[in-house]
PDB file of all heavy atoms in Angstrom:
ATOM      1  N   LYS A 889     -36.820  62.093  54.059  1.00 85.00           N
ATOM      2  CA  LYS A 889     -38.220  62.101  53.604  1.00 85.00           C
ATOM      3  C   LYS A 889     -38.464  61.010  52.572  1.00 85.00           C
ATOM      4  O   LYS A 889     -39.520  60.396  52.517  1.00 85.00           O
ATOM      5  CB  LYS A 889     -38.486  63.451  52.933  1.00 85.00           C
ATOM      6  CG  LYS A 889     -39.734  64.139  53.435  1.00 85.00           C
ATOM      7  CD  LYS A 889     -39.931  65.401  52.646  1.00 85.00           C
ATOM      8  CE  LYS A 889     -40.490  66.478  53.521  1.00 85.00           C
ATOM      9  NZ  LYS A 889     -40.611  67.748  52.773  1.00 85.00           N
ATOM     10  N   GLN A 902     -48.063  52.125  45.872  1.00 94.00           N
ATOM     11  CA  GLN A 902     -48.606  52.912  44.753  1.00 94.00           C
ATOM     12  C   GLN A 902     -48.483  52.193  43.416  1.00 94.00           C
ATOM     13  O   GLN A 902     -49.233  52.481  42.496  1.00 94.00           O
ATOM     14  CB  GLN A 902     -47.952  54.293  44.700  1.00 94.00           C
ATOM     15  CG  GLN A 902     -48.316  55.161  45.900  1.00 94.00           C
ATOM     16  CD  GLN A 902     -47.927  56.608  45.760  1.00 94.00           C
ATOM     17  OE1 GLN A 902     -46.986  56.935  44.999  1.00 94.00           O
ATOM     18  NE2 GLN A 902     -48.590  57.507  46.465  1.00 94.00           N
ATOM     19  N   PHE A 993     -69.774  49.986  32.663  1.00 89.00           N
ATOM     20  CA  PHE A 993     -70.608  51.161  32.996  1.00 89.00           C
ATOM     21  C   PHE A 993     -72.086  50.818  32.940  1.00 89.00           C
ATOM     22  O   PHE A 993     -72.876  51.198  33.801  1.00 89.00           O
ATOM     23  CB  PHE A 993     -70.316  52.312  32.051  1.00 89.00           C
ATOM     24  CG  PHE A 993     -69.012  53.014  32.370  1.00 89.00           C
ATOM     25  CD1 PHE A 993     -68.088  53.240  31.365  1.00 89.00           C
ATOM     26  CD2 PHE A 993     -68.722  53.380  33.668  1.00 89.00           C
ATOM     27  CE1 PHE A 993     -66.880  53.875  31.661  1.00 89.00           C
ATOM     28  CE2 PHE A 993     -67.508  54.015  33.979  1.00 89.00           C
ATOM     29  CZ  PHE A 993     -66.597  54.251  32.959  1.00 89.00           C
ATOM     30  N   ASN A 998     -72.667  52.852  36.851  1.00 81.00           N
ATOM     31  CA  ASN A 998     -71.624  53.729  37.423  1.00 81.00           C
ATOM     32  C   ASN A 998     -71.853  54.098  38.859  1.00 81.00           C
ATOM     33  O   ASN A 998     -71.553  55.199  39.315  1.00 81.00           O
ATOM     34  CB  ASN A 998     -71.409  54.988  36.573  1.00 81.00           C
ATOM     35  CG  ASN A 998     -70.065  55.618  36.844  1.00 81.00           C
ATOM     36  OD1 ASN A 998     -69.229  55.026  37.501  1.00 81.00           O
ATOM     37  ND2 ASN A 998     -69.861  56.822  36.377  1.00 81.00           N
ATOM     38  N   THR A1000     -71.049  53.692  42.783  1.00 88.00           N
ATOM     39  CA  THR A1000     -69.962  53.252  43.660  1.00 88.00           C
ATOM     40  C   THR A1000     -70.529  52.495  44.838  1.00 88.00           C
ATOM     41  O   THR A1000     -71.588  52.837  45.337  1.00 88.00           O
ATOM     42  CB  THR A1000     -69.216  54.498  44.178  1.00 88.00           C
ATOM     43  OG1 THR A1000     -68.764  55.230  43.046  1.00 88.00           O
ATOM     44  CG2 THR A1000     -68.030  54.119  45.013  1.00 88.00           C
ATOM     45  N   ARG A1002     -69.751  51.847  48.650  1.00 92.00           N
ATOM     46  CA  ARG A1002     -68.874  52.531  49.632  1.00 92.00           C
ATOM     47  C   ARG A1002     -68.021  51.573  50.433  1.00 92.00           C
ATOM     48  O   ARG A1002     -68.408  50.454  50.750  1.00 92.00           O
ATOM     49  CB  ARG A1002     -69.761  53.343  50.565  1.00 92.00           C
ATOM     50  CG  ARG A1002     -70.479  54.515  49.936  1.00 92.00           C
ATOM     51  CD  ARG A1002     -71.545  55.053  50.846  1.00 92.00           C
ATOM     52  NE  ARG A1002     -70.964  55.529  52.089  1.00 92.00           N
ATOM     53  CZ  ARG A1002     -71.385  55.139  53.297  1.00 92.00           C
ATOM     54  NH1 ARG A1002     -72.295  54.242  53.429  1.00 92.00           N
ATOM     55  NH2 ARG A1002     -70.813  55.658  54.374  1.00 92.00           N
ATOM     56  N   ALA A1003     -66.826  52.089  50.767  1.00 92.00           N
ATOM     57  CA  ALA A1003     -65.846  51.330  51.532  1.00 92.00           C
ATOM     58  C   ALA A1003     -66.446  50.811  52.842  1.00 92.00           C
ATOM     59  O   ALA A1003     -66.195  49.658  53.237  1.00 92.00           O
ATOM     60  CB  ALA A1003     -64.610  52.165  51.812  1.00 92.00           C
ATOM     61  N   GLN A1004     -67.261  51.648  53.538  1.00 91.00           N
ATOM     62  CA  GLN A1004     -67.772  51.271  54.840  1.00 91.00           C
ATOM     63  C   GLN A1004     -68.739  50.073  54.715  1.00 91.00           C
ATOM     64  O   GLN A1004     -68.741  49.207  55.568  1.00 91.00           O
ATOM     65  CB  GLN A1004     -68.468  52.467  55.506  1.00 91.00           C
ATOM     66  CG  GLN A1004     -67.498  53.538  55.992  1.00 91.00           C
ATOM     67  CD  GLN A1004     -66.728  54.185  54.851  1.00 91.00           C
ATOM     68  OE1 GLN A1004     -67.279  54.415  53.785  1.00 91.00           O
ATOM     69  NE2 GLN A1004     -65.436  54.435  55.076  1.00 91.00           N
ATOM     70  N   LYS A1019     -52.597  44.823  55.993  1.00 91.00           N
ATOM     71  CA  LYS A1019     -51.178  45.113  55.899  1.00 91.00           C
ATOM     72  C   LYS A1019     -50.363  44.553  57.038  1.00 91.00           C
ATOM     73  O   LYS A1019     -50.874  44.209  58.109  1.00 91.00           O
ATOM     74  CB  LYS A1019     -50.972  46.633  55.833  1.00 91.00           C
ATOM     75  CG  LYS A1019     -51.715  47.397  56.885  1.00 91.00           C
ATOM     76  CD  LYS A1019     -51.585  48.890  56.597  1.00 91.00           C
ATOM     77  CE  LYS A1019     -52.323  49.699  57.610  1.00 91.00           C
ATOM     78  NZ  LYS A1019     -53.778  49.721  57.375  1.00 91.00           N
ATOM     79  N   ARG A1096     -57.156  48.409  47.729  1.00 94.00           N
ATOM     80  CA  ARG A1096     -56.402  49.678  47.768  1.00 94.00           C
ATOM     81  C   ARG A1096     -57.309  50.873  47.941  1.00 94.00           C
ATOM     82  O   ARG A1096     -57.028  51.758  48.753  1.00 94.00           O
ATOM     83  CB  ARG A1096     -55.561  49.807  46.491  1.00 94.00           C
ATOM     84  CG  ARG A1096     -54.957  51.182  46.359  1.00 94.00           C
ATOM     85  CD  ARG A1096     -53.618  51.169  45.706  1.00 94.00           C
ATOM     86  NE  ARG A1096     -53.195  52.543  45.427  1.00 94.00           N
ATOM     87  CZ  ARG A1096     -52.529  53.312  46.272  1.00 94.00           C
ATOM     88  NH1 ARG A1096     -52.207  52.866  47.471  1.00 94.00           N
ATOM     89  NH2 ARG A1096     -52.198  54.540  45.942  1.00 94.00           N
ATOM     90  N   ILE A1097     -58.425  50.957  47.183  1.00 93.00           N
ATOM     91  CA  ILE A1097     -59.228  52.164  47.280  1.00 93.00           C
ATOM     92  C   ILE A1097     -60.421  51.980  48.191  1.00 93.00           C
ATOM     93  O   ILE A1097     -61.186  52.918  48.398  1.00 93.00           O
ATOM     94  CB  ILE A1097     -59.709  52.670  45.873  1.00 93.00           C
ATOM     95  CG1 ILE A1097     -60.593  51.629  45.229  1.00 93.00           C
ATOM     96  CG2 ILE A1097     -58.557  53.004  45.006  1.00 93.00           C
ATOM     97  CD1 ILE A1097     -61.199  52.117  43.919  1.00 93.00           C
ATOM     98  N   SER A1099     -63.353  51.117  48.141  1.00 93.00           N
ATOM     99  CA  SER A1099     -64.671  50.976  47.553  1.00 93.00           C
ATOM    100  C   SER A1099     -64.598  50.221  46.202  1.00 93.00           C
ATOM    101  O   SER A1099     -63.513  49.968  45.708  1.00 93.00           O
ATOM    102  CB  SER A1099     -65.275  52.353  47.343  1.00 93.00           C
ATOM    103  OG  SER A1099     -64.335  53.226  46.809  1.00 93.00           O
ATOM    104  N   SER A1101     -65.368  51.054  42.557  1.00 90.00           N
ATOM    105  CA  SER A1101     -65.674  52.240  41.784  1.00 90.00           C
ATOM    106  C   SER A1101     -65.463  51.986  40.306  1.00 90.00           C
ATOM    107  O   SER A1101     -64.355  51.711  39.870  1.00 90.00           O
ATOM    108  CB  SER A1101     -64.729  53.366  42.244  1.00 90.00           C
ATOM    109  OG  SER A1101     -64.661  54.354  41.265  1.00 90.00           O
ATOM    110  N   GLY A1105     -59.076  52.882  37.264  1.00 84.00           N
ATOM    111  CA  GLY A1105     -58.237  51.998  36.490  1.00 84.00           C
ATOM    112  C   GLY A1105     -58.348  52.109  34.981  1.00 84.00           C
ATOM    113  O   GLY A1105     -57.910  51.168  34.271  1.00 84.00           O
ATOM    114  N   LEU A1145     -43.306  59.789  42.959  1.00 91.00           N
ATOM    115  CA  LEU A1145     -43.260  60.229  44.350  1.00 91.00           C
ATOM    116  C   LEU A1145     -42.128  61.227  44.567  1.00 91.00           C
ATOM    117  O   LEU A1145     -42.310  62.265  45.201  1.00 91.00           O
ATOM    118  CB  LEU A1145     -43.136  59.046  45.305  1.00 91.00           C
ATOM    119  CG  LEU A1145     -43.271  59.430  46.779  1.00 91.00           C
ATOM    120  CD1 LEU A1145     -44.677  59.882  47.086  1.00 91.00           C
ATOM    121  CD2 LEU A1145     -42.847  58.312  47.695  1.00 91.00           C
ATOM    122  N   ARG A1148     -42.986  64.620  43.197  1.00 85.00           N
ATOM    123  CA  ARG A1148     -44.012  65.275  43.985  1.00 85.00           C
ATOM    124  C   ARG A1148     -43.455  65.804  45.287  1.00 85.00           C
ATOM    125  O   ARG A1148     -43.791  66.879  45.718  1.00 85.00           O
ATOM    126  CB  ARG A1148     -45.169  64.295  44.268  1.00 85.00           C
ATOM    127  CG  ARG A1148     -45.962  63.845  43.074  1.00 85.00           C
ATOM    128  CD  ARG A1148     -46.447  64.959  42.215  1.00 85.00           C
ATOM    129  NE  ARG A1148     -47.578  65.686  42.789  1.00 85.00           N
ATOM    130  CZ  ARG A1148     -47.774  66.981  42.577  1.00 85.00           C
ATOM    131  NH1 ARG A1148     -46.921  67.702  41.889  1.00 85.00           N
ATOM    132  NH2 ARG A1148     -48.841  67.558  43.091  1.00 85.00           N
ATOM    133  N   GLN A1155     -46.813  67.658  35.628  1.00 81.00           N
ATOM    134  CA  GLN A1155     -46.472  67.513  34.222  1.00 81.00           C
ATOM    135  C   GLN A1155     -45.056  67.027  34.011  1.00 81.00           C
ATOM    136  O   GLN A1155     -44.751  66.345  33.035  1.00 81.00           O
ATOM    137  CB  GLN A1155     -46.652  68.853  33.478  1.00 81.00           C
ATOM    138  CG  GLN A1155     -48.097  69.333  33.458  1.00 81.00           C
ATOM    139  CD  GLN A1155     -48.976  68.522  32.555  1.00 81.00           C
ATOM    140  OE1 GLN A1155     -48.602  67.490  32.046  1.00 81.00           O
ATOM    141  NE2 GLN A1155     -50.195  68.988  32.374  1.00 81.00           N
TER     142      GLN A1155
ATOM    143  N   THR B1499     -72.051  58.436  31.730  1.00 77.00           N
ATOM    144  CA  THR B1499     -71.838  57.418  32.774  1.00 77.00           C
ATOM    145  C   THR B1499     -71.700  58.064  34.180  1.00 77.00           C
ATOM    146  O   THR B1499     -71.988  57.406  35.144  1.00 77.00           O
ATOM    147  CB  THR B1499     -70.583  56.593  32.457  1.00 77.00           C
ATOM    148  OG1 THR B1499     -69.504  57.500  32.223  1.00 77.00           O
ATOM    149  CG2 THR B1499     -70.784  55.741  31.266  1.00 77.00           C
ATOM    150  N   VAL B1626     -54.447  68.487  36.194  1.00 84.00           N
ATOM    151  CA  VAL B1626     -53.364  69.457  35.972  1.00 84.00           C
ATOM    152  C   VAL B1626     -53.749  70.568  35.030  1.00 84.00           C
ATOM    153  O   VAL B1626     -53.155  71.650  35.044  1.00 84.00           O
ATOM    154  CB  VAL B1626     -52.079  68.759  35.428  1.00 84.00           C
ATOM    155  CG1 VAL B1626     -51.393  68.013  36.533  1.00 84.00           C
ATOM    156  CG2 VAL B1626     -52.401  67.865  34.268  1.00 84.00           C
ATOM    157  N   ASN B1664     -50.574  70.970  46.735  1.00 94.00           N
ATOM    158  CA  ASN B1664     -51.720  70.592  45.880  1.00 94.00           C
ATOM    159  C   ASN B1664     -51.334  69.298  45.163  1.00 94.00           C
ATOM    160  O   ASN B1664     -50.187  69.094  44.815  1.00 94.00           O
ATOM    161  CB  ASN B1664     -51.940  71.671  44.803  1.00 94.00           C
ATOM    162  CG  ASN B1664     -52.353  73.008  45.370  1.00 94.00           C
ATOM    163  OD1 ASN B1664     -51.553  73.670  46.052  1.00 94.00           O
ATOM    164  ND2 ASN B1664     -53.561  73.403  45.140  1.00 94.00           N
ATOM    165  N   ASP B1665     -52.333  68.439  44.941  1.00 94.00           N
ATOM    166  CA  ASP B1665     -52.106  67.283  44.081  1.00 94.00           C
ATOM    167  C   ASP B1665     -53.425  67.011  43.325  1.00 94.00           C
ATOM    168  O   ASP B1665     -54.456  67.530  43.719  1.00 94.00           O
ATOM    169  CB  ASP B1665     -51.652  66.057  44.867  1.00 94.00           C
ATOM    170  CG  ASP B1665     -50.790  65.126  44.019  1.00 94.00           C
ATOM    171  OD1 ASP B1665     -50.922  65.188  42.774  1.00 94.00           O
ATOM    172  OD2 ASP B1665     -49.995  64.360  44.570  1.00 94.00           O
ATOM    173  N   GLU B1671     -61.669  57.744  43.332  1.00 93.00           N
ATOM    174  CA  GLU B1671     -61.121  57.169  44.582  1.00 93.00           C
ATOM    175  C   GLU B1671     -59.628  56.889  44.442  1.00 93.00           C
ATOM    176  O   GLU B1671     -58.849  57.200  45.349  1.00 93.00           O
ATOM    177  CB  GLU B1671     -61.844  55.881  44.950  1.00 93.00           C
ATOM    178  CG  GLU B1671     -63.241  56.074  45.444  1.00 93.00           C
ATOM    179  CD  GLU B1671     -64.284  56.143  44.337  1.00 93.00           C
ATOM    180  OE1 GLU B1671     -63.883  56.233  43.151  1.00 93.00           O
ATOM    181  OE2 GLU B1671     -65.483  56.085  44.636  1.00 93.00           O
ATOM    182  N   GLU B1672     -59.281  56.280  43.315  1.00 93.00           N
ATOM    183  CA  GLU B1672     -57.882  55.855  43.109  1.00 93.00           C
ATOM    184  C   GLU B1672     -56.963  57.090  43.179  1.00 93.00           C
ATOM    185  O   GLU B1672     -55.946  57.097  43.850  1.00 93.00           O
ATOM    186  CB  GLU B1672     -57.834  55.262  41.709  1.00 93.00           C
ATOM    187  CG  GLU B1672     -56.855  54.152  41.533  1.00 93.00           C
ATOM    188  CD  GLU B1672     -56.900  53.709  40.063  1.00 93.00           C
ATOM    189  OE1 GLU B1672     -57.791  54.138  39.299  1.00 93.00           O
ATOM    190  OE2 GLU B1672     -56.009  52.925  39.696  1.00 93.00           O
ATOM    191  N   ARG B1675     -56.701  58.634  46.699  1.00 96.00           N
ATOM    192  CA  ARG B1675     -55.812  57.927  47.615  1.00 96.00           C
ATOM    193  C   ARG B1675     -54.343  58.277  47.322  1.00 96.00           C
ATOM    194  O   ARG B1675     -53.571  58.578  48.201  1.00 96.00           O
ATOM    195  CB  ARG B1675     -56.022  56.428  47.514  1.00 96.00           C
ATOM    196  CG  ARG B1675     -54.948  55.668  48.231  1.00 96.00           C
ATOM    197  CD  ARG B1675     -55.338  54.399  48.887  1.00 96.00           C
ATOM    198  NE  ARG B1675     -54.284  54.019  49.824  1.00 96.00           N
ATOM    199  CZ  ARG B1675     -54.297  52.941  50.540  1.00 96.00           C
ATOM    200  NH1 ARG B1675     -55.300  52.115  50.480  1.00 96.00           N
ATOM    201  NH2 ARG B1675     -53.294  52.659  51.362  1.00 96.00           N
ATOM    202  N   GLU B1679     -51.636  60.235  49.672  1.00 95.00           N
ATOM    203  CA  GLU B1679     -50.410  59.588  50.099  1.00 95.00           C
ATOM    204  C   GLU B1679     -49.191  60.483  49.803  1.00 95.00           C
ATOM    205  O   GLU B1679     -48.291  60.633  50.604  1.00 95.00           O
ATOM    206  CB  GLU B1679     -50.231  58.238  49.371  1.00 95.00           C
ATOM    207  CG  GLU B1679     -51.126  57.156  49.925  1.00 95.00           C
ATOM    208  CD  GLU B1679     -51.103  55.889  49.082  1.00 95.00           C
ATOM    209  OE1 GLU B1679     -50.586  55.943  47.928  1.00 95.00           O
ATOM    210  OE2 GLU B1679     -51.582  54.851  49.535  1.00 95.00           O
ATOM    211  N   ASN B1680     -49.240  61.062  48.600  1.00 94.00           N
ATOM    212  CA  ASN B1680     -48.109  61.945  48.210  1.00 94.00           C
ATOM    213  C   ASN B1680     -47.974  63.111  49.172  1.00 94.00           C
ATOM    214  O   ASN B1680     -46.873  63.466  49.595  1.00 94.00           O
ATOM    215  CB  ASN B1680     -48.333  62.453  46.783  1.00 94.00           C
ATOM    216  CG  ASN B1680     -48.168  61.379  45.744  1.00 94.00           C
ATOM    217  OD1 ASN B1680     -47.656  60.316  46.027  1.00 94.00           O
ATOM    218  ND2 ASN B1680     -48.637  61.635  44.525  1.00 94.00           N
ATOM    219  N   LYS B1684     -45.138  64.219  52.207  1.00 91.00           N
ATOM    220  CA  LYS B1684     -44.546  65.538  52.374  1.00 91.00           C
ATOM    221  C   LYS B1684     -44.657  66.013  53.826  1.00 91.00           C
ATOM    222  O   LYS B1684     -43.729  66.587  54.359  1.00 91.00           O
ATOM    223  CB  LYS B1684     -45.299  66.520  51.457  1.00 91.00           C
ATOM    224  CG  LYS B1684     -44.487  67.086  50.327  1.00 91.00           C
ATOM    225  CD  LYS B1684     -45.354  68.065  49.534  1.00 91.00           C
ATOM    226  CE  LYS B1684     -44.522  68.951  48.670  1.00 91.00           C
ATOM    227  NZ  LYS B1684     -45.377  69.739  47.767  1.00 91.00           N
ATOM    228  N   GLU B1704     -59.067  56.630  52.772  1.00 95.00           N
ATOM    229  CA  GLU B1704     -58.364  55.341  52.792  1.00 95.00           C
ATOM    230  C   GLU B1704     -56.886  55.526  53.083  1.00 95.00           C
ATOM    231  O   GLU B1704     -56.281  54.756  53.819  1.00 95.00           O
ATOM    232  CB  GLU B1704     -58.545  54.590  51.460  1.00 95.00           C
ATOM    233  CG  GLU B1704     -59.952  54.095  51.200  1.00 95.00           C
ATOM    234  CD  GLU B1704     -60.439  53.080  52.225  1.00 95.00           C
ATOM    235  OE1 GLU B1704     -59.648  52.158  52.564  1.00 95.00           O
ATOM    236  OE2 GLU B1704     -61.577  53.224  52.710  1.00 95.00           O
ATOM    237  N   ALA B1708     -54.837  54.202  56.385  1.00 91.00           N
ATOM    238  CA  ALA B1708     -53.641  53.330  56.280  1.00 91.00           C
ATOM    239  C   ALA B1708     -52.545  53.724  57.262  1.00 91.00           C
ATOM    240  O   ALA B1708     -51.751  52.912  57.655  1.00 91.00           O
ATOM    241  CB  ALA B1708     -53.104  53.350  54.859  1.00 91.00           C
ATOM    242  N   ALA B1728     -73.833  60.015  52.446  1.00 95.00           N
ATOM    243  CA  ALA B1728     -73.752  58.929  53.389  1.00 95.00           C
ATOM    244  C   ALA B1728     -72.410  58.946  54.128  1.00 95.00           C
ATOM    245  O   ALA B1728     -72.330  58.608  55.305  1.00 95.00           O
ATOM    246  CB  ALA B1728     -73.922  57.582  52.662  1.00 95.00           C
ATOM    247  N   ASN B1729     -71.344  59.332  53.426  1.00 95.00           N
ATOM    248  CA  ASN B1729     -70.041  59.457  54.076  1.00 95.00           C
ATOM    249  C   ASN B1729     -69.995  60.593  55.076  1.00 95.00           C
ATOM    250  O   ASN B1729     -69.267  60.546  56.057  1.00 95.00           O
ATOM    251  CB  ASN B1729     -68.939  59.637  53.029  1.00 95.00           C
ATOM    252  CG  ASN B1729     -68.531  58.300  52.427  1.00 95.00           C
ATOM    253  OD1 ASN B1729     -68.852  57.239  52.959  1.00 95.00           O
ATOM    254  ND2 ASN B1729     -67.767  58.362  51.319  1.00 95.00           N
ATOM    255  N   ASP B1732     -71.522  59.150  58.150  1.00 94.00           N
ATOM    256  CA  ASP B1732     -70.602  58.293  58.884  1.00 94.00           C
ATOM    257  C   ASP B1732     -69.402  59.006  59.480  1.00 94.00           C
ATOM    258  O   ASP B1732     -68.508  58.413  60.027  1.00 94.00           O
ATOM    259  CB  ASP B1732     -70.084  57.166  57.972  1.00 94.00           C
ATOM    260  CG  ASP B1732     -71.179  56.171  57.636  1.00 94.00           C
ATOM    261  OD1 ASP B1732     -72.250  56.268  58.235  1.00 94.00           O
ATOM    262  OD2 ASP B1732     -70.951  55.298  56.777  1.00 94.00           O
ATOM    263  N   ILE B1734     -66.980  60.389  57.853  1.00 95.00           N
ATOM    264  CA  ILE B1734     -65.778  60.291  57.035  1.00 95.00           C
ATOM    265  C   ILE B1734     -65.458  61.643  56.440  1.00 95.00           C
ATOM    266  O   ILE B1734     -64.314  62.109  56.400  1.00 95.00           O
ATOM    267  CB  ILE B1734     -65.970  59.231  55.952  1.00 95.00           C
ATOM    268  CG1 ILE B1734     -66.033  57.873  56.631  1.00 95.00           C
ATOM    269  CG2 ILE B1734     -64.898  59.278  54.902  1.00 95.00           C
ATOM    270  CD1 ILE B1734     -66.751  56.839  55.867  1.00 95.00           C
TER     271      ILE B1734
END
Side-chain angles (χ1 to χ4, degrees):
Chain A
K889 229 183 216 176
Q902 292 191 336
F993 285 130
N998 199 11
T1000 303
R1002 292 166 62 233
Q1004 287 64 39
K1019 50 188 179 281
R1096 170 145 171 89
I1097 63 175
S1099 44
S1101 160
L1145 187 68
R1148 295 308 285 149
Q1155 296 289 9
Chain B
T1499 52
V1626 285
N1664 297 67
D1665 208 337
E1671 287 86 349
E1672 213 182 351
R1675 168 146 196 182
E1679 285 171 347
N1680 290 345
K1684 247 180 163 173
E1704 291 298 315
N1729 278 347
D1732 289 352
I1734 290 156

